[in-house]
Amino acid sequence: MAEVKTVEQVRIKVAEKLQKRWLDLKSIKGWLKGYKGIPQEAQEEIAQQIQALFAEYGLRPDLNHIVILGDRPYVTREGLLYYARKSGELTSIRVELLERGKGYCIVKATVYTKDGGIFEALGDASESNTNRMVSPHLIRMAETRAINRALREAFPIGLCSYEELSETDVSEREEGGAPGKPAKVEGSSQGKNKTNGSEKMISDSQLKYIWRLAKEVWEGVPQEEIDATLHELVEREFEKQSLKELTSREASQLIDILKDLKNKSGEDNFQFD
């Protein structure tokens, strides 16, 4: 296992690698090759779009700011909120349930910005434009759609949001992958107590403990930076793209690394600017 670095060294390394990965078309195209559901002929254009979205807005598909569906990228709620907060111009978001009936609802969202801007949008959800997993939660989906639309008005980035798509839209745009789902990394492992060959995969309790330790190590750091730093640790130490790809043994090693980082952080009194 590689030597444990200080918190500041890890943070600097993360920033350098992110710049290299998401501004380099070759690296982006290499990342896209691991995905199902993306037509080969569309990969060049998608790679250029991902590069531009990171350069201008800081959006990253590995943090679920963007999902790839068929031959185009879509921004997610996480991506819109990340960009709005990063801009420093977002003041608040208010939502109001306007109408609720049998099998449908309508929500209004209002986004307020520091320059006095007020941006309103409606979001609707019904049993006919959501899938069966979402349909029991129509108010929540209508709220998400309303917020996304209002955020896109206040902080335009030129993309439709994934959550605004209806089930029919998703199915029509999906090519080569499972209908109704964004492109996924091949070979990814998810779920409790799954195995990789003969090895047991990371457990839910290990996953929760890792996130708790990470928040303690980087206390006061924005969640997006914690996500990025943890992602870098996992990739550097274990050559995995996600925490959920770790085995139980690797998860235990990562916990030890985080404990060491926590001790170093306390001893050396490192602080983020």
Side-chain angles (χ1 to χ4, degrees):
M1 187 166 60
E3 179 183 355
V4 175
K5 298 178 182 291
T6 66
V7 174
E8 187 64 16
Q9 287 172 325
V10 171
R11 186 171 184 246
I12 292 171
K13 182 71 174 177
V14 168
E16 291 174 348
K17 191 158 187 177
L18 286 178
Q19 290 293 321
K20 181 178 179 182
R21 169 181 285 182
W22 301 113
L23 292 177
D24 181 67
L25 282 176
K26 185 177 179 181
S27 296
I28 296 171
K29 284 187 278 189
W31 181 82
L32 285 172
K33 286 180 181 178
Y35 273 61
K36 297 189 293 185
I38 302 177
Q40 183 68 32
E41 63 274 13
Q43 290 193 8
E44 177 72 27
E45 183 177 353
I46 291 174
Q48 292 175 359
Q49 289 177 301
I50 290 174
Q51 180 190 55
L53 288 166
F54 176 72
E56 190 164 355
Y57 309 111
L59 301 181
R60 293 169 44 196
D62 61 322
L63 292 183
N64 199 38
H65 295 157
I66 307 163
V67 297
I68 312 300
L69 191 63
D71 61 354
R72 68 186 66 179
Y74 293 85
V75 67
T76 64
R77 175 174 177 163
E78 288 89 344
L80 289 166
L81 285 171
Y82 170 78
Y83 174 53
R85 289 166 177 160
K86 182 183 176 185
S87 75
E89 294 300 314
L90 178 65
T91 301
S92 63
I93 301 174
R94 296 182 61 184
V95 294
E96 178 185 356
L97 178 60
L98 295 184
E99 188 174 346
R100 183 180 184 183
K102 185 176 181 181
Y104 79 96
C105 64
I106 300 173
V107 171
K108 182 174 89 170
T110 307
V111 168
Y112 299 88
T113 57
K114 286 185 177 179
D115 62 0
I118 300 175
F119 303 87
E120 297 179 338
L122 301 181
D124 68 286
S126 67
E127 294 175 353
S128 63
N129 65 18
T130 58
N131 62 42
R132 60 184 179 182
M133 293 184 67
V134 175
S135 57
H137 313 288
L138 293 179
I139 294 179
R140 191 181 308 167
M141 177 52 75
E143 177 187 77
T144 295
R145 289 172 172 172
I147 290 173
N148 283 14
R149 287 167 184 161
L151 284 171
R152 289 198 297 110
E153 289 289 330
F155 304 94
I157 64 172
L159 290 181
C160 179
S161 73
Y162 175 69
E163 292 87 352
E164 290 178 67
L165 298 176
S166 69
E167 181 67 8
T168 301
D169 290 333
V170 171
S171 297
E172 288 177 351
R173 286 163 173 76
E174 186 68 22
E175 297 180 18
K181 295 183 180 180
K184 301 282 187 177
V185 174
E186 293 185 7
S188 64
S189 301
Q190 297 183 7
K192 186 177 180 179
N193 295 329
K194 288 198 173 184
T195 59
N196 182 9
S198 60
E199 278 201 87
K200 186 177 178 181
M201 301 304 293
I202 185 171
S203 68
D204 286 347
S205 59
Q206 286 178 310
L207 194 59
K208 290 176 183 178
Y209 188 41
I210 286 170
W211 279 114
R212 193 179 84 189
L213 278 174
K215 289 177 180 178
E216 291 175 357
V217 171
W218 295 291
E219 185 178 0
V221 175
Q223 185 62 47
E224 290 82 5
E225 282 199 41
I226 294 176
D227 293 343
T229 306
L230 198 54
H231 180 86
E232 165 64 20
L233 273 176
V234 170
E235 187 172 54
R236 191 192 73 201
E237 299 293 337
F238 309 104
E239 297 183 346
K240 301 289 179 66
Q241 294 296 314
S242 149
L243 280 173
K244 292 181 180 179
E245 293 181 23
L246 297 178
T247 63
S248 179
R249 177 180 55 83
E250 290 169 336
S252 295
Q253 292 175 351
L254 179 58
I255 287 170
D256 289 339
I257 291 173
L258 289 170
K259 286 180 177 178
D260 286 343
L261 281 172
K262 183 180 176 183
N263 291 337
K264 281 180 176 288
S265 177
E267 292 169 2
D268 300 332
N269 195 30
F270 282 109
Q271 294 183 348
F272 291 110
D273 295 329

